[in-house]
Amino acid sequence: MIPLAVPNLNGNEKKYLDNCIDTTFVSSVGEYVTRFEEMIAEATGSVGAVATSAGTTGLHAALSALGVQHNDLVIIPTFTFIASANAVAHCGATPWLMDIAEDTWCMNPKVVREELASKCEKRKDGVYHVATGRRVAAIMPVYTLGNMPNMHEFREIADEYGLPLMVDAACAIGATFEGKSFGSLADLSVLSFNGNKTITCGGGGAVVGCKQELLDRVRHLTTTARVWPDYDFDMVGFNYRMTNLQAAVGVAQMEHLESFIRVKRHAREYYEENLRTLLTKGVSYFPTTEGSSCWFSGIVLPEGTKLQDAKDFCAKLKEDGIEARSFWKPVHLQKPYEDAPCSDIHVAESLWERIITLPCSTGITDEELATVVEKTKEIL
Ligand SMILES: Cc1ncc(COP(=O)(O)O)c(C=O)c1O
């Protein structure tokens, strides 16, 4: 079977895990946590990083650190993994769901600007969504597939409305915007190191940013808001720290970041070059922004394709030993968020059922890519 996206654990992972066991440092204190945080901060151009137990917990802690509260609204794209919305809901807030742009698959800043201008009013104590009476507490784009939207536009909008700008950068390790990594583009950005990500810790996340004070707040929140050295706690915190075991795997993975990203980008280019003949049949590619980390790659089936057709296509590939999958179902179509406010959503709706993710593990070979291309062409 050629898998969709499996971890590549051929480096120092075992050695570092053994070291954790030998030294008994298996919990949330240990040299690997510190090293992992340093490596993530450097790779993302951030002043620091706070490693967390998962991307979702990192998102929750970051939203909390930015002051998102019960009953607030947080602006996010509808086309994302449900964890982005869940983290908002964990704060007691509700996602305000926006459409995406066709050329990035990221939240469309124009839609956000229009929605804010037409549906909100600025008051002394913040921005309020008139129809629901709720305060808008933050804007949170997602770096879909490791693509970058125009972050200058989001920064402008955030500043104009006095809102914090946070990013769900779960899939974006290795991505750059205008030649630089993304650590300083938002107030806080959150990565995931789940098993299907380019770099994995088994499970894990990290919060990065350019303001030390904010990162300190995140660290405090993720460590039960404990005031050392005694059993004093100054707020309701979370136990969201990454363990040394997770970080040991993460450090070994980070030693290969460059080569992993190279393979991800190569897979994207390979599919584009070798599936070109399918363009005449109405098939298209995933969008690639400059500096994209190309987390996942694949194709978009012709307009009008329904989810069942996409699933049938994947089933046929599976018979040939190839794992392919459909992709995120938008949040506004998910049961827990049916009633969440949303913009007009036509781009995400016309797109999501037609997306096919093709194998793109960081260990994939050209032979395997060639097999995927051959079988994909045969079926289509
Ligand atoms: C866009 C996005 N946000 C959030 C998450 C959640 O991360 P985790 O699974 O580490 O909690 C993921 C991945 O799983 C994701 O793809």
Side-chain angles (χ1 to χ4, degrees), residues 71 73 129-135 341:
N71 218 30
L73 292 178
H129 183 258
V130 176
T132 60
R134 291 172 173 219
R135 183 178 81 114

Side-chain angles (χ1 to χ4, degrees), residues 54-56 59 80-81 83-84 142 168 170-171 192 194 197 204 295 328:
T56 310
L59 287 168
T80 181
F81 183 59
S84 322
V142 175
D168 179 339
C171 337
S192 163
N194 177 33
K197 297 297 182 287
W295 169 54
W328 297 333

Side-chain angles (χ1 to χ4, degrees), residues 68-74 88 91-94 132-137:
V68 174
Q69 290 171 9
H70 188 78
N71 218 30
D72 284 342
L73 292 178
V74 175
V88 172
C91 295
T94 300
T132 60
R134 291 172 173 219
R135 183 178 81 114
V136 182

